[in-house]
Amino acid sequence: MQPSDAKLYRNSLSRALRSYSAAVSDMERTILVPSLLRDVPSDELRDCEESRDLYESYQMLKAIRTSAESSLGSQVERKVQAGVSSLEPVLDAEGLFHFHLWGLFSVMRDLTVRTQNLTEKYKEIIGVAD
């Protein structure tokens, strides 16, 4: 991986984290009474065995943001600043790195969409239209 690639990934990951963080911040500003979300089923988890209401989703999305901001961002920064040469000796390791990085982007996009959907659902519950 070239240094320019590392910078691109760092910027893209930072952008994905900022986008998710902004969506959660918007959710928190919009949802003034989170308890209204209790017992409202979550559409995103219809395929899961676990039954989660929107309040639990709200709490989970906030916790993920806190965790991502405090640990994930700093871990990625440390790895990029240390240089990605530690990933270059084994081609398989580089491929694995790319695979997991794109997986992380996918998860961040999914969490951002879920956060935005929850915010919109809350607006529907309280009768606020855009």
Side-chain angles (χ1 to χ4, degrees):
M1 181 182 305
Q2 302 297 324
S4 61
D5 291 341
K7 186 175 181 180
L8 175 65
Y9 284 129
R10 184 185 69 217
N11 290 338
S12 296
L13 185 55
S14 295
R15 189 175 28 246
L17 289 170
R18 280 193 309 270
S19 177
Y20 175 63
S21 182
V24 173
S25 293
D26 182 51
M27 177 184 73
E28 288 178 309
R29 281 191 304 273
T30 303
I31 300 175
L32 300 176
V33 186
S35 60
L36 288 176
L37 300 171
R38 288 192 192 275
D39 300 325
V40 178
S42 176
D43 296 336
E44 280 88 14
L45 295 173
R46 62 183 164 266
D47 297 332
C48 298
E49 294 177 18
E50 180 181 337
S51 176
R52 180 176 288 165
D53 64 14
L54 288 180
Y55 181 78
E56 290 172 353
S57 293
Y58 171 82
Q59 296 295 345
M60 176 194 67
L61 292 166
K62 283 178 36 178
I64 289 171
R65 181 202 44 193
T66 301
S67 177
E69 287 178 346
S70 65
S71 63
L72 180 62
S74 62
Q75 287 175 12
V76 169
E77 282 295 318
R78 279 194 306 270
K79 287 182 180 183
V80 170
Q81 288 173 357
V84 292
S85 60
S86 61
L87 298 173
E88 291 176 359
V90 180
L91 184 58
D92 289 338
E94 184 176 348
L96 192 58
F97 172 75
H98 286 279
F99 173 78
H100 287 292
L101 187 61
W102 285 115
L104 180 59
F105 288 141
S106 175
V107 168
M108 294 308 300
R109 280 191 304 268
D110 181 55
L111 289 172
T112 302
V113 168
R114 285 181 180 208
T115 302
Q116 292 165 339
N117 289 343
L118 193 146
T119 303
E120 291 304 313
K121 184 73 169 181
Y122 178 82
K123 288 179 180 179
E124 288 175 19
I125 290 170
I126 63 169
V128 175
D130 285 333

